[in-house]
Amino acid sequence: MQTPAPVGYAKATSVSDALALLKKHGEDSRIVAGGHSLIPMMRLRIAAPEALIDINDVAELKGISIEGNEIVIGAMVRHAEVLSSPILAEHYAIFREAEKLIADPIVRNRGTIGGSMCQADPSEDLSAVGAALKGSVVIQSASGSRTVALRDFHEGPYMTKVAQTEILTQVRFPIRPGAGSAYEKVERRVGDWPVASAGTYVVVSNGVVADCGIGLTAVGAEHFCAPEAEAFLIGKEPTEENLSAAAQLAADACNPFSDQRGPADYKKHLAHELTLRALRRSAAASQGA
Amino acid sequence: MQITLTVNGTEYTRDVEPRMLLVHFIRDELLLRGTHWGCDTSNCGTCTLWVDGEPVKSCTMLAVMADGRAIRTVEGLANGAELDPIQQGFIECHGLQCGFCTPGMMMTGRWLLDNNPNPSEGEIRECISGQICRCTGYKNIVSAIQWAAEHPATSEVTS
Ligand SMILES: Cc1cc2nc3c(=O)[nH]c(=O)nc-3n(C[C@H](O)[C@H](O)[C@H](O)COP(=O)(O)OP(=O)(O)OC[C@H]3O[C@@H](n4cnc5c(N)ncnc54)[C@H](O)[C@@H]3O)c2cc1C
Ligand code: FES
Ligand code: FES
């Protein structure tokens, strides 16, 4: 039976308490949120932290709210809450569409948005959503907090701007009136990680694309986004031809590799097709179709 | 580390290593062997039990993380000698063969019906999608949950 290596444990009561505990337990201590990435890794002994700092009871990390022009999601908000949130559903269909395809309902009862961002798996679905919507995260340290754009957050696979002595406290998304959004994923079986996924938002105004965002995961897109494809679409009519050309630019910028989930050329094909489908539906939703 | 939690309404206090998984605590410390353990990858779902009213894969939670919480396991489904409708449904519809996946399926099924008393077949299938059955082909599990939906308990059992 696979059991984690011996580990210390402390339950944090607040963000400042968690930061103090991280300091006290030293550089091999780690935050545990939902534990649905970290505990499987500890069981397989891919991860062996010295101590876990449990933030499940930290009230200030919970809840979804609106502050000014932004939606603010606490780091401890679980997948199930993202899936069922009326605030998110009102502004961005992409959250519901993505969450319905992340793992299964039982895993979604535990896994969190903060944990998903910090895990930074190259196939993380919420990373594509965050990049598509050009969201940001708030990172807290003992000396203060800073905001980092999600398109600037990942330093590489499983690596982010969150240092060991820091905690991700919030994920924030700008509200865009009139935006339509969508998420498309191909998985080998229900509840699996993606072979490829694409998420987009489009704002159509006066018949042309005024604003858009494209996020991709599992296909080797740098920072999970496709800025050239976005730039191409701005000011153009959302015709099938233009959307497909943009999707092709997005696919061209991807660098997938072959693995047990599929060969690289298939994933590249999916990057185009899924981006196109998401753009089509986003543009239609923005135009009230 | 000392933890105190309630399981099926009974309070337990035990000294555990922080690395102990909740599924092993329930099975090996409390000797409640109804909850099964079947994989190392959080995929099979046979370890599913409730923590504070919500199903959780107990192989992916540490026992220390359950300190202070209320657990409900498959042993907590029946009300004395009276089976929960979900249990009766598995009998009526032949919802199990080897029975390995059954405790997890029943805990998830009960939760689904508590939140959605009349689920569609699609909703049932989605709800158990994190659980693997190697025997039944799922058809009879879906029927068992449907049977339970059609035969709600007259006296509600509380967790
Ligand atoms: C069976 C299964 C299927 C899955 N399928 C999918 C899928 O299809 N798509 C998908 O995207 N994901 C999938 N996941 C992953 C799931 O979404 C995880 O819940 C998520 O990746 C991590 O969230 P968590 O809260 O469980 O993080 P944890 O496991 O608690 O933490 C993950 C990492 O982030 C760090 N961390 C967590 N929170 C913070 C914080 N606030 N500040 C600083 N560091 C923090 C931890 O130290 C750890 O290093 C699946 C998981 C399982 C078990
Ligand atoms: S034993 Fe928990 S999911 Fe398999
Ligand atoms: S009855 Fe055998 S695994 Fe489901």
PDB file of all heavy atoms in Angstrom, chain A residues 191-216:
ATOM      1  N   GLY A 191     -13.966  12.452 -16.873  1.00  0.00           N
ATOM      2  CA  GLY A 191     -13.246  12.769 -15.648  1.00  0.00           C
ATOM      3  C   GLY A 191     -11.743  12.773 -15.780  1.00  0.00           C
ATOM      4  O   GLY A 191     -11.036  13.002 -14.801  1.00  0.00           O
ATOM      5  N   ASP A 192     -11.243  12.550 -16.976  1.00  0.00           N
ATOM      6  CA  ASP A 192      -9.793  12.489 -17.143  1.00  0.00           C
ATOM      7  C   ASP A 192      -9.231  13.873 -17.444  1.00  0.00           C
ATOM      8  O   ASP A 192      -9.955  14.797 -17.816  1.00  0.00           O
ATOM      9  CB  ASP A 192      -9.463  11.526 -18.291  1.00  0.00           C
ATOM     10  CG  ASP A 192      -7.990  11.128 -18.307  1.00  0.00           C
ATOM     11  OD1 ASP A 192      -7.313  11.290 -17.269  1.00  0.00           O
ATOM     12  OD2 ASP A 192      -7.523  10.656 -19.357  1.00  0.00           O
ATOM     13  N   TRP A 193      -7.932  13.961 -17.291  1.00  0.00           N
ATOM     14  CA  TRP A 193      -7.227  15.175 -17.692  1.00  0.00           C
ATOM     15  C   TRP A 193      -7.377  15.334 -19.208  1.00  0.00           C
ATOM     16  O   TRP A 193      -7.592  14.357 -19.926  1.00  0.00           O
ATOM     17  CB  TRP A 193      -5.750  15.046 -17.330  1.00  0.00           C
ATOM     18  CG  TRP A 193      -5.501  15.051 -15.869  1.00  0.00           C
ATOM     19  CD1 TRP A 193      -5.615  13.995 -15.022  1.00  0.00           C
ATOM     20  CD2 TRP A 193      -5.114  16.167 -15.069  1.00  0.00           C
ATOM     21  NE1 TRP A 193      -5.323  14.387 -13.736  1.00  0.00           N
ATOM     22  CE2 TRP A 193      -5.005  15.720 -13.747  1.00  0.00           C
ATOM     23  CE3 TRP A 193      -4.847  17.507 -15.350  1.00  0.00           C
ATOM     24  CZ2 TRP A 193      -4.640  16.556 -12.695  1.00  0.00           C
ATOM     25  CZ3 TRP A 193      -4.479  18.336 -14.305  1.00  0.00           C
ATOM     26  CH2 TRP A 193      -4.377  17.871 -12.994  1.00  0.00           C
ATOM     27  N   PRO A 194      -7.245  16.569 -19.719  1.00  0.00           N
ATOM     28  CA  PRO A 194      -7.478  16.774 -21.152  1.00  0.00           C
ATOM     29  C   PRO A 194      -6.383  16.198 -22.054  1.00  0.00           C
ATOM     30  O   PRO A 194      -5.211  16.197 -21.683  1.00  0.00           O
ATOM     31  CB  PRO A 194      -7.507  18.310 -21.285  1.00  0.00           C
ATOM     32  CG  PRO A 194      -6.756  18.818 -20.089  1.00  0.00           C
ATOM     33  CD  PRO A 194      -6.967  17.817 -18.991  1.00  0.00           C
ATOM     34  N   VAL A 195      -6.815  15.721 -23.224  1.00  0.00           N
ATOM     35  CA  VAL A 195      -5.863  15.504 -24.324  1.00  0.00           C
ATOM     36  C   VAL A 195      -5.504  16.891 -24.853  1.00  0.00           C
ATOM     37  O   VAL A 195      -4.348  17.197 -25.137  1.00  0.00           O
ATOM     38  CB  VAL A 195      -6.496  14.644 -25.444  1.00  0.00           C
ATOM     39  CG1 VAL A 195      -5.492  14.448 -26.581  1.00  0.00           C
ATOM     40  CG2 VAL A 195      -6.982  13.320 -24.906  1.00  0.00           C
ATOM     41  N   ALA A 196      -6.529  17.729 -24.936  1.00  0.00           N
ATOM     42  CA  ALA A 196      -6.368  19.138 -25.302  1.00  0.00           C
ATOM     43  C   ALA A 196      -7.626  19.876 -24.871  1.00  0.00           C
ATOM     44  O   ALA A 196      -8.711  19.294 -24.854  1.00  0.00           O
ATOM     45  CB  ALA A 196      -6.178  19.288 -26.810  1.00  0.00           C
ATOM     46  N   SER A 197      -7.474  21.145 -24.495  1.00  0.00           N
ATOM     47  CA  SER A 197      -8.629  21.990 -24.171  1.00  0.00           C
ATOM     48  C   SER A 197      -8.366  23.395 -24.669  1.00  0.00           C
ATOM     49  O   SER A 197      -7.217  23.847 -24.708  1.00  0.00           O
ATOM     50  CB  SER A 197      -8.857  22.097 -22.652  1.00  0.00           C
ATOM     51  OG  SER A 197      -9.134  20.868 -22.060  1.00  0.00           O
ATOM     52  N   ALA A 198      -9.454  24.079 -25.027  1.00  0.00           N
ATOM     53  CA  ALA A 198      -9.356  25.493 -25.386  1.00  0.00           C
ATOM     54  C   ALA A 198     -10.540  26.235 -24.783  1.00  0.00           C
ATOM     55  O   ALA A 198     -11.661  25.732 -24.774  1.00  0.00           O
ATOM     56  CB  ALA A 198      -9.349  25.674 -26.904  1.00  0.00           C
ATOM     57  N   GLY A 199     -10.273  27.446 -24.279  1.00  0.00           N
ATOM     58  CA  GLY A 199     -11.327  28.296 -23.743  1.00  0.00           C
ATOM     59  C   GLY A 199     -11.167  29.690 -24.315  1.00  0.00           C
ATOM     60  O   GLY A 199     -10.034  30.149 -24.527  1.00  0.00           O
ATOM     61  N   THR A 200     -12.289  30.347 -24.584  1.00  0.00           N
ATOM     62  CA  THR A 200     -12.204  31.685 -25.193  1.00  0.00           C
ATOM     63  C   THR A 200     -13.298  32.603 -24.659  1.00  0.00           C
ATOM     64  O   THR A 200     -14.323  32.144 -24.149  1.00  0.00           O
ATOM     65  CB  THR A 200     -12.398  31.615 -26.727  1.00  0.00           C
ATOM     66  OG1 THR A 200     -13.707  31.094 -27.013  1.00  0.00           O
ATOM     67  CG2 THR A 200     -11.353  30.733 -27.387  1.00  0.00           C
ATOM     68  N   TYR A 201     -13.064  33.916 -24.800  1.00  0.00           N
ATOM     69  CA  TYR A 201     -14.170  34.875 -24.700  1.00  0.00           C
ATOM     70  C   TYR A 201     -14.055  35.803 -25.893  1.00  0.00           C
ATOM     71  O   TYR A 201     -12.955  36.004 -26.438  1.00  0.00           O
ATOM     72  CB  TYR A 201     -14.145  35.669 -23.378  1.00  0.00           C
ATOM     73  CG  TYR A 201     -13.145  36.797 -23.349  1.00  0.00           C
ATOM     74  CD1 TYR A 201     -13.469  38.071 -23.871  1.00  0.00           C
ATOM     75  CD2 TYR A 201     -11.866  36.612 -22.831  1.00  0.00           C
ATOM     76  CE1 TYR A 201     -12.551  39.102 -23.856  1.00  0.00           C
ATOM     77  CE2 TYR A 201     -10.947  37.647 -22.817  1.00  0.00           C
ATOM     78  CZ  TYR A 201     -11.293  38.891 -23.330  1.00  0.00           C
ATOM     79  OH  TYR A 201     -10.378  39.913 -23.326  1.00  0.00           O
ATOM     80  N   VAL A 202     -15.204  36.319 -26.330  1.00  0.00           N
ATOM     81  CA  VAL A 202     -15.244  37.250 -27.458  1.00  0.00           C
ATOM     82  C   VAL A 202     -16.260  38.340 -27.121  1.00  0.00           C
ATOM     83  O   VAL A 202     -17.335  38.050 -26.605  1.00  0.00           O
ATOM     84  CB  VAL A 202     -15.670  36.532 -28.767  1.00  0.00           C
ATOM     85  CG1 VAL A 202     -15.827  37.537 -29.911  1.00  0.00           C
ATOM     86  CG2 VAL A 202     -14.665  35.443 -29.148  1.00  0.00           C
ATOM     87  N   VAL A 203     -15.900  39.588 -27.385  1.00  0.00           N
ATOM     88  CA  VAL A 203     -16.860  40.694 -27.311  1.00  0.00           C
ATOM     89  C   VAL A 203     -17.039  41.214 -28.733  1.00  0.00           C
ATOM     90  O   VAL A 203     -16.081  41.701 -29.336  1.00  0.00           O
ATOM     91  CB  VAL A 203     -16.360  41.842 -26.400  1.00  0.00           C
ATOM     92  CG1 VAL A 203     -17.412  42.955 -26.337  1.00  0.00           C
ATOM     93  CG2 VAL A 203     -16.029  41.334 -25.007  1.00  0.00           C
ATOM     94  N   VAL A 204     -18.252  41.050 -29.261  1.00  0.00           N
ATOM     95  CA  VAL A 204     -18.545  41.570 -30.604  1.00  0.00           C
ATOM     96  C   VAL A 204     -19.290  42.885 -30.440  1.00  0.00           C
ATOM     97  O   VAL A 204     -20.264  42.976 -29.702  1.00  0.00           O
ATOM     98  CB  VAL A 204     -19.407  40.572 -31.418  1.00  0.00           C
ATOM     99  CG1 VAL A 204     -19.673  41.122 -32.823  1.00  0.00           C
ATOM    100  CG2 VAL A 204     -18.711  39.221 -31.504  1.00  0.00           C
ATOM    101  N   SER A 205     -18.779  43.924 -31.105  1.00  0.00           N
ATOM    102  CA  SER A 205     -19.402  45.241 -31.005  1.00  0.00           C
ATOM    103  C   SER A 205     -19.434  45.857 -32.406  1.00  0.00           C
ATOM    104  O   SER A 205     -18.420  45.835 -33.107  1.00  0.00           O
ATOM    105  CB  SER A 205     -18.576  46.083 -30.029  1.00  0.00           C
ATOM    106  OG  SER A 205     -19.002  47.401 -30.036  1.00  0.00           O
ATOM    107  N   ASN A 206     -20.592  46.362 -32.800  1.00  0.00           N
ATOM    108  CA  ASN A 206     -20.773  46.926 -34.155  1.00  0.00           C
ATOM    109  C   ASN A 206     -20.331  45.941 -35.240  1.00  0.00           C
ATOM    110  O   ASN A 206     -19.708  46.336 -36.223  1.00  0.00           O
ATOM    111  CB  ASN A 206     -20.011  48.244 -34.315  1.00  0.00           C
ATOM    112  CG  ASN A 206     -20.495  49.300 -33.337  1.00  0.00           C
ATOM    113  OD1 ASN A 206     -21.705  49.384 -33.076  1.00  0.00           O
ATOM    114  ND2 ASN A 206     -19.582  50.055 -32.769  1.00  0.00           N
ATOM    115  N   GLY A 207     -20.598  44.650 -34.998  1.00  0.00           N
ATOM    116  CA  GLY A 207     -20.317  43.648 -36.023  1.00  0.00           C
ATOM    117  C   GLY A 207     -18.883  43.187 -36.107  1.00  0.00           C
ATOM    118  O   GLY A 207     -18.564  42.306 -36.905  1.00  0.00           O
ATOM    119  N   VAL A 208     -17.995  43.751 -35.299  1.00  0.00           N
ATOM    120  CA  VAL A 208     -16.603  43.277 -35.327  1.00  0.00           C
ATOM    121  C   VAL A 208     -16.143  42.863 -33.927  1.00  0.00           C
ATOM    122  O   VAL A 208     -16.751  43.242 -32.919  1.00  0.00           O
ATOM    123  CB  VAL A 208     -15.621  44.340 -35.890  1.00  0.00           C
ATOM    124  CG1 VAL A 208     -15.962  44.681 -37.326  1.00  0.00           C
ATOM    125  CG2 VAL A 208     -15.603  45.572 -35.009  1.00  0.00           C
ATOM    126  N   VAL A 209     -15.079  42.081 -33.881  1.00  0.00           N
ATOM    127  CA  VAL A 209     -14.531  41.628 -32.601  1.00  0.00           C
ATOM    128  C   VAL A 209     -13.797  42.798 -31.938  1.00  0.00           C
ATOM    129  O   VAL A 209     -12.791  43.295 -32.464  1.00  0.00           O
ATOM    130  CB  VAL A 209     -13.568  40.436 -32.805  1.00  0.00           C
ATOM    131  CG1 VAL A 209     -12.896  40.057 -31.482  1.00  0.00           C
ATOM    132  CG2 VAL A 209     -14.323  39.243 -33.384  1.00  0.00           C
ATOM    133  N   ALA A 210     -14.340  43.264 -30.817  1.00  0.00           N
ATOM    134  CA  ALA A 210     -13.732  44.395 -30.122  1.00  0.00           C
ATOM    135  C   ALA A 210     -12.689  43.924 -29.111  1.00  0.00           C
ATOM    136  O   ALA A 210     -11.745  44.645 -28.784  1.00  0.00           O
ATOM    137  CB  ALA A 210     -14.810  45.212 -29.427  1.00  0.00           C
ATOM    138  N   ASP A 211     -12.876  42.697 -28.623  1.00  0.00           N
ATOM    139  CA  ASP A 211     -11.996  42.199 -27.560  1.00  0.00           C
ATOM    140  C   ASP A 211     -12.121  40.676 -27.566  1.00  0.00           C
ATOM    141  O   ASP A 211     -13.185  40.133 -27.878  1.00  0.00           O
ATOM    142  CB  ASP A 211     -12.464  42.770 -26.213  1.00  0.00           C
ATOM    143  CG  ASP A 211     -11.527  42.458 -25.064  1.00  0.00           C
ATOM    144  OD1 ASP A 211     -10.406  41.964 -25.315  1.00  0.00           O
ATOM    145  OD2 ASP A 211     -11.924  42.684 -23.902  1.00  0.00           O
ATOM    146  N   CYS A 212     -11.039  39.991 -27.273  1.00  0.00           N
ATOM    147  CA  CYS A 212     -11.142  38.529 -27.177  1.00  0.00           C
ATOM    148  C   CYS A 212      -9.975  37.967 -26.364  1.00  0.00           C
ATOM    149  O   CYS A 212      -8.983  38.657 -26.133  1.00  0.00           O
ATOM    150  CB  CYS A 212     -11.183  37.879 -28.566  1.00  0.00           C
ATOM    151  SG  CYS A 212      -9.647  38.009 -29.490  1.00  0.00           S
ATOM    152  N   GLY A 213     -10.119  36.722 -25.918  1.00  0.00           N
ATOM    153  CA  GLY A 213      -9.051  36.038 -25.198  1.00  0.00           C
ATOM    154  C   GLY A 213      -9.084  34.560 -25.544  1.00  0.00           C
ATOM    155  O   GLY A 213     -10.166  33.981 -25.702  1.00  0.00           O
ATOM    156  N   ILE A 214      -7.906  33.968 -25.719  1.00  0.00           N
ATOM    157  CA  ILE A 214      -7.831  32.543 -26.067  1.00  0.00           C
ATOM    158  C   ILE A 214      -6.870  31.858 -25.093  1.00  0.00           C
ATOM    159  O   ILE A 214      -5.724  32.281 -24.947  1.00  0.00           O
ATOM    160  CB  ILE A 214      -7.328  32.353 -27.519  1.00  0.00           C
ATOM    161  CG1 ILE A 214      -8.291  33.028 -28.509  1.00  0.00           C
ATOM    162  CG2 ILE A 214      -7.172  30.860 -27.846  1.00  0.00           C
ATOM    163  CD1 ILE A 214      -7.801  33.029 -29.949  1.00  0.00           C
ATOM    164  N   GLY A 215      -7.358  30.796 -24.432  1.00  0.00           N
ATOM    165  CA  GLY A 215      -6.509  30.016 -23.532  1.00  0.00           C
ATOM    166  C   GLY A 215      -6.487  28.564 -23.978  1.00  0.00           C
ATOM    167  O   GLY A 215      -7.487  28.049 -24.492  1.00  0.00           O
ATOM    168  N   LEU A 216      -5.349  27.915 -23.828  1.00  0.00           N
ATOM    169  CA  LEU A 216      -5.224  26.502 -24.219  1.00  0.00           C
ATOM    170  C   LEU A 216      -4.440  25.752 -23.143  1.00  0.00           C
ATOM    171  O   LEU A 216      -3.541  26.311 -22.528  1.00  0.00           O
ATOM    172  CB  LEU A 216      -4.462  26.380 -25.539  1.00  0.00           C
ATOM    173  CG  LEU A 216      -5.137  27.011 -26.757  1.00  0.00           C
ATOM    174  CD1 LEU A 216      -4.212  28.020 -27.396  1.00  0.00           C
ATOM    175  CD2 LEU A 216      -5.519  25.941 -27.761  1.00  0.00           C
TER     176      LEU A 216
END
